[in-house]
Structures are given as C-alpha cells and as structure tokens.
Amino acid sequence: MSEKRNLTQSEIDGVEYRRAKLWQIILYSCNALVGMSVYMLIGLASYSASIGYGITTAVVGIILTATRIFDGITDPMVAFLYDRVNTRFGKLRILLITGFCIEAVALLAIYDFASSKGFGVVTFTLLYVIYVIGYTINNVTAQTLPAIMTNDPKQRPTIGVWTTALNYMIPMLLTIVLNVIMLPMFGGTYNQTFLSAACRVCIGLGLIGTILVCIGISEFDKPEYFSGTSEKKESLKFRDMVDVLKGNRPLQCYIISAASEKLAQQASSQSIVVTMLSGIIIGNMGLATTLSVIGMLPSILFAVVGARYAGKFGSQKAITSWSWISIIISGVMFVFFVIIEPSKIAIMMSPAMILYVVFSLALNGSKMCVTTATSSFMADIIDYELDRSGRYVPAVVTGVYGLIDKFVSSFGALIATSSVALIGYTSTMPQPGDACTSGIFWVTMAIYLGMPVLGWICTLIAMHFCHLDKATMVQVQKNIAAKKAALQKTK
C-alpha cells in the first residue's frame, strides 16, 4: 500500500496529514510488552547481582551506572546501523527482532543460566553489556516509529495514550504477578528460584510484544517512509549528529526535560525503593502493591484527557501544564505521609488507605498525562529536524537524545543503592518486614517523591525556552509538504 492511501486532509489547518489505522497504533503500542517487561526485570538487577553473583550493594550501583552510560554511548552508534540497514524485508522489523533476541539471551543468562553458578562480577558485567546492546537496538528503533506512522497533531497524542496506558498497565499486572502471586510461592523473599522464574515470564511477554509490533508496523517498513526533502542523499556521518544537537533547540530542551525526569524515574522505581515504601514503611508488600495497582487503573483515563489536551493546545503546553499539576500533587502526598502513621495504609478500608489510593490515583494520572504529551513531542522534534535540515534522520534525533539522557539517568540506580547503603544496607538489600527507621522513611520520601519534583522543575525551565508550540508545528508540516512537493516536480 502506498503512503498516499494513509493520508487524510485536516479540516483545521489545511495540512494533508499521514495517519495510521487504529489497529496499527494498538499493535505498535504492544512494544510496551517488550519495554516494560524488561524494565521490571532490570529493576531486580540489584538482587540478581547480590544473590546470583555475590556482588556487594555499592559495587552493584557502580556497575549499573557504568553500563547505563555505555547504553547511552551505543544509542548514537545504532543510528549508523539504522541508516544502513535496508533489506527486502524492511529495516524496522529486522532491527526490532535482532535487538530483542540479543537482550533476551543476555537476560536469560544473567537471571537464570549463569546465576548462582559460581560466577562473579566480570561475568555479570559482560552479560549486562550484551543486554544493553540488544536493548539499545530495540529501543532506538521503537522510538522512531510514531513519527513514521503519523504526522497528524491530533493522532500523535492518541499513540501516546495507547503507549502510556500499556506502559502503566503492564508493570501493574507484572507487579501483581511477581510480588503478589509469585513471590509468596518462592518463600516471600527474593531468591534465585524466584529470579529465574521472573525472568522467563518477562522474556515470554517480550517475545509476544515483538511479534505484535512487527505486524503493526509492516505497512510502514518501506523506503518511501524514510525520505527527506532534498535531492542530496549521503550516508550518515558523525558531524550530522553534532549538527542535530547544535542546531535543534527543541531537542536540547527536550533532553533537559526528559533526562531529569528519567533520572528521577530510574531512582524511584528501583526495587529496593519499592520494597522500602511498600514492604517496610507501609508494612505489607502484597496489600500495598495491590492498592497501588487499584490507584493506577483509573488513571489511564487521565491519558485520554491528556491526549485531547495535547491535541488541542500542542504537546509543549500539555507537558508544562501537567508538570505543574504533578508537582502540586506530590507535595500533598508528601505531607500526607509525614502527618499519618503509614502502617495504617495497610488496614483495609481505613481512612489512610482510602486517601493513599486517592492521592496515588491523582499523581499517577498526572504523570501519565506528562508521559503522553512527551511521547508525541519527540515525534514533533523529528519533524522539526526534517524541516530544518532536509534530512529525515529519526534515529539520529533519538540517538543523540539517548546518549545524554542515559548518561544523566544512569546515576538513578547509583543514587538509590548509595542512599540505601548510607542507612546501613551495605552488604544486604532491604527486605519486606524489616524495621521501619527514620532513615528508611526519609530516604524513601526523598527518592520516591522529592526527585520527581526536581525533574518536573527542570522540565518547566526547559519548556520555557523551547518555542515549539502548536502553531509552529502546523507551519513545520506545511513546510515539509511544500518541499516534498517541489522535490517530486524535479524528478
């Protein structure tokens, strides 16, 4: 099917937009099965390193930080691979399948085949590096897909809705499966048998997700979807990446915003932080996890509201508005934890439990709206670069972003593990049922609520200098359409 059969005429701004079908968007969004299942698994990396390889807490933090920096370095390198892969089966599906296979084999070795077999820090680190390579190939490719599938400003947030909803639902379901169902089956503590079983479950979900995504994007995996607006076609060079970073102001602002938020997310989502919040402060890992899930489910509806808001006012304004709301709700939730006895949250239908669910619902809903707007904003930045330079280089934009983002956010695991080490967990990890000390409480609050607030403040500052609002994006799409039409006339 040609690209033109996917085009519809916007009734608002007169731009002829490329649109994807709903089923294609849904299948593309199943990439969340890959990303989130692996994400949940990597959240257990500290436990795997300690239990399966005898690595101390401090060293685990250093390894995870160093390998994430390496992950960032590989992002722009994948852009060269992306630019050169062109087969009769396309490029997108080849890269997605290759990336997943590499990371799946590495993760199975880390958590199962090589774990608790007498190997140490070297084996763990090498396997983790292999995982990073596969993950990067898969992730960079997946980030380019929304910009390729549609350039309609109303449909891009819709992609964000489906992606964000699944990015929240899958971890919720996996949290129930892993912590509520499987963990008690294996003794109630993180051990080797549990880690092996968790790995197999997560990899199986990732395989299903990869297959579904490849089906959904098959129509777009063709050369005509990767063309620029100039006649000159050259292979990608390093200076092209430098030019993108230097000349694309929206990308610079996006990097500051997304990297700061990702740093907070990486730190607050570490299993040791979740364990301290749910298993120690609240005191009931299973019940607290279930309550968090119940609070998250309705928040998916917020994504629809956020997408409509982004479609009406533009992604940039949506990011700013919902960041403010997230900061306010986080402040209220912090006060809530300070003035109550957190263990009362674990009492079914108590006022504390009800308030916790309400606050969690509001906070997760606002976070979801920020994420929805952010995902569509990256596609806008890719099109802005096409208008600016004439080259369609989505992997360069995502690769440059990934380099800096991962370097900054790589310190998330180190922050979490170092903070835990400071309060006494130097050779062991926090376990459900440990005594709740003041150190555990304040460290958890600082990471779980404080760091995200700092990330949103950075976002507000960055968006103030971005200047890629809805009106600007309409003009960008008109410019691209005019340049492509002129290019066709010269052929």
Side-chain angles (χ1 to χ4, degrees):
M1 183 180 292
S2 67
E3 182 176 354
K4 290 184 177 180
R5 289 181 62 184
N6 285 315
L7 297 177
T8 59
Q9 188 74 23
S10 170
E11 299 177 358
I12 299 175
D13 49 48
V15 179
E16 191 176 55
Y17 288 117
R18 179 178 67 255
R19 293 175 59 87
K21 301 176 182 66
L22 180 59
W23 69 267
Q24 293 171 324
I25 292 175
I26 294 173
L27 289 186
Y28 156 72
S29 300
C30 289
N31 185 62
L33 279 171
V34 186
M36 289 298 102
S37 59
V38 171
Y39 176 77
M40 292 292 292
L41 193 58
I42 290 302
L44 297 169
S46 298
Y47 288 98
S48 180
S50 176
I51 296 168
Y53 301 86
I55 304 173
T56 62
T57 304
V59 175
V60 170
I62 294 173
I63 293 173
L64 296 182
T65 299
T67 50
R68 186 159 179 83
I69 293 173
F70 172 74
D71 187 5
I73 295 173
T74 58
D75 272 33
M77 303 307 296
V78 169
F80 289 96
L81 178 66
Y82 186 100
D83 186 60
R84 287 165 172 76
V85 171
N86 290 289
T87 73
R88 64 191 183 95
F89 302 105
K91 75 164 62 184
L92 302 174
R93 290 166 294 179
I94 296 295
L95 291 171
L96 288 174
I97 293 171
T98 300
F100 175 75
C101 288
I102 293 173
E103 63 179 332
V105 170
L107 289 171
L108 284 168
I110 290 173
Y111 288 87
D112 193 355
F113 303 151
S115 187
S116 296
K117 301 294 192 301
F119 297 108
V121 62
V122 174
T123 299
F124 177 84
T125 304
L126 288 176
L127 290 173
Y128 205 92
V129 166
I130 295 173
Y131 148 72
V132 165
I133 294 172
Y135 166 81
T136 304
I137 294 173
N138 190 292
N139 188 54
V140 170
T141 304
Q143 285 184 322
T144 68
L145 297 179
I148 294 171
M149 294 174 69
T150 179
N151 63 348
D152 189 310
K154 289 188 175 295
Q155 191 175 58
R156 276 182 173 171
T158 301
I159 293 180
V161 169
W162 283 97
T163 302
T164 305
L166 289 178
N167 279 341
Y168 273 76
M169 288 181 63
I170 292 168
M172 286 190 290
L173 294 175
L174 271 176
T175 297
I176 293 176
V177 171
L178 297 179
N179 292 333
V180 179
I181 299 176
M182 292 179 60
L183 191 59
M185 292 172 57
F186 295 97
T189 61
Y190 297 113
N191 53 55
Q192 181 56 57
T193 309
F194 167 77
L195 293 172
S196 297
C199 179
R200 293 172 183 270
V201 169
C202 292
I203 294 301
L205 288 175
L207 176 60
I208 295 172
T210 300
I211 294 172
L212 294 176
V213 173
C214 288
I215 294 172
I217 66 170
S218 59
E219 184 174 322
F220 303 95
D221 199 2
K222 299 173 183 176
E224 58 261 33
Y225 288 94
F226 306 99
S227 60
T229 60
S230 63
E231 293 186 39
K232 190 176 182 180
K233 295 181 180 179
E234 297 180 352
S235 296
L236 183 65
K237 299 179 178 62
F238 177 76
R239 67 171 178 267
D240 295 322
M241 296 189 179
V242 176
D243 175 67
V244 168
L245 182 59
K246 289 175 59 178
N248 194 317
R249 170 59 68 84
L251 176 60
Q252 297 168 2
C253 296
Y254 181 87
I255 288 172
I256 294 172
S257 169
S260 59
E261 291 186 25
K262 185 69 70 63
L263 173 63
Q265 181 190 43
Q266 286 288 324
S268 62
S269 63
Q270 292 294 311
S271 290
I272 51 178
V273 177
V274 175
T275 298
M276 289 192 297
L277 176 66
S278 300
I280 299 177
I281 294 176
I282 295 177
N284 189 322
M285 191 78 172
L287 178 59
T289 300
T290 303
L291 292 177
S292 297
V293 171
I294 293 173
M296 280 184 175
L297 283 172
S299 68
I300 294 175
L301 298 176
F302 278 82
V304 178
V305 176
R308 290 181 178 275
Y309 188 89
K312 184 176 181 180
F313 298 103
S315 297
Q316 180 181 340
K317 184 173 178 58
I319 291 171
T320 301
S321 299
W322 289 106
S323 293
W324 271 116
I325 294 173
S326 298
I327 291 173
I328 294 171
I329 296 173
S330 295
V332 173
M333 198 166 187
F334 171 73
V335 173
F336 166 73
F337 269 102
V338 170
I339 64 176
I340 70 155
E341 172 54 49
S343 62
K344 293 182 179 179
I345 296 173
I347 301 175
M348 187 62 66
M349 298 309 296
S350 66
M353 188 202 79
I354 295 172
L355 285 174
Y356 176 74
V357 172
V358 171
F359 291 147
S360 296
L361 167 62
L363 182 58
N364 290 320
S366 62
K367 284 181 180 179
M368 183 167 286
C369 290
V370 173
T371 305
T372 299
T374 300
S375 63
S376 61
F377 196 51
M378 171 56 84
D380 290 348
I381 293 171
I382 289 173
D383 284 343
Y384 175 84
E385 179 59 30
L386 173 59
D387 180 35
R388 186 188 75 88
S389 67
R391 294 194 59 186
Y392 193 56
V393 285
V396 173
V397 175
T398 58
V400 170
Y401 154 70
L403 170 63
I404 301 174
D405 167 78
K406 289 176 181 176
F407 175 79
V408 174
S409 61
S410 64
F411 293 95
L414 181 60
I415 289 172
T417 53
S418 298
S419 299
V420 170
L422 286 175
I423 57 176
Y425 290 96
T426 55
S427 58
T428 60
M429 294 292 180
Q431 292 285 357
D434 288 356
C436 181
T437 64
S438 60
I440 289 176
F441 177 82
W442 290 111
V443 164
T444 303
M445 290 297 103
I447 298 176
Y448 178 67
L449 293 175
M451 287 192 64
V453 167
L454 291 177
W456 290 316
I457 291 173
C458 291
T459 292
L460 293 174
I461 296 172
M463 289 299 107
H464 177 73
F465 297 97
C466 186
H467 310 308
L468 191 62
D469 56 16
K470 183 180 179 181
T472 303
M473 277 308 303
V474 170
Q475 188 58 50
V476 164
Q477 297 298 348
K478 288 181 178 180
N479 293 344
I480 293 173
K483 292 173 182 177
K484 285 192 173 184
L487 182 62
Q488 288 294 325
K489 290 181 180 179
T490 62
K491 293 184 178 180

